Amino acid sequence: GENVEQHPSTLSVQEGDSAVIKCTYSDSASNYFPWYKQELGKGPQLIIDIRSNVGEKKDQRIAVTLNKTAKHFSLHITETQPEDSAVYFCAASGEGRDDKIIFGKGTRLHILP
Amino acid sequence: NAGVTQTPKFQVLKTGQSMTLQCAQDMNHEYMSWYRQDPGMGLRLIHYSVGAGITDQGEVPNGYNVSRSTTEDFPLRLLSAAPSQTSVYFCAIRGSSTGELFFGEGSRLTVL
């Protein structure tokens, strides 16, 4: 089955700097890669996703890149702000309605003032 | 978290007791799932369902039962609770068009 590795487990960056979180996956059949943000006491929420037919996707300060050959994908947050402090999860899945979504272990991001 | 309702939000059990975590949705999505979240372990899939009458195992199914008699409800049953099942449990539904998972607010379970 699919296995998703996520690094680092904890990341501290100065406010205004960039943050990068990296993930690798094992199943070459996976073609949908979402990223979720979890704030304290809440359920995770989707912030961006990418499908295997594109290599990069941007949404304001957030971008995701995908390298299918190497089976890794990354989340980039630029100009970090205090509200970016949260736990971030990467995940991998097929796109079929029956396909389960497998998550990495998460990265706790701290934005330092 | 609109559309996915989990109950109860908090529960304390003794070892060996049974209980059911409830999950209800009003978005008419076929796909429903249960995850558990433990420190340092991320979100691990317990069971999932792609429609009424269909269930399948995830990464960590042992000790849990599920059933799916309606589109709206997907209860998770612990038949004999163990301390290793102390966790935060999330129910999530998946949109068929976008693939996005919508999570409930979570249920914190403590087994003594």
Side-chain angles (χ1 to χ4, degrees), chain A residues 17-39:
Chain A
D17 288 350
S18 296
V20 181
I21 302 170
K22 298 183 178 182
C23 290
T24 61
Y25 62 99
S26 62
D27 189 348
S28 57
S30 291
N31 55 14
Y32 173 64
F33 306 94
W35 287 86
Y36 286 79
K37 177 183 181 181
Q38 185 180 30
E39 296 178 343

Side-chain angles (χ1 to χ4, degrees), chain A residues 36 38 51 94 97 99 101, chain B residues 31 35 37 50 94 98 101:
Chain A
Y36 286 79
Q38 185 180 30
R51 288 173 168 81
R97 78 177 194 117
D99 291 324
I101 297 181
Chain B
Y31 185 104
Y35 289 85
Q37 183 174 20
V50 298
R94 185 175 187 182
T98 64
L101 280 179

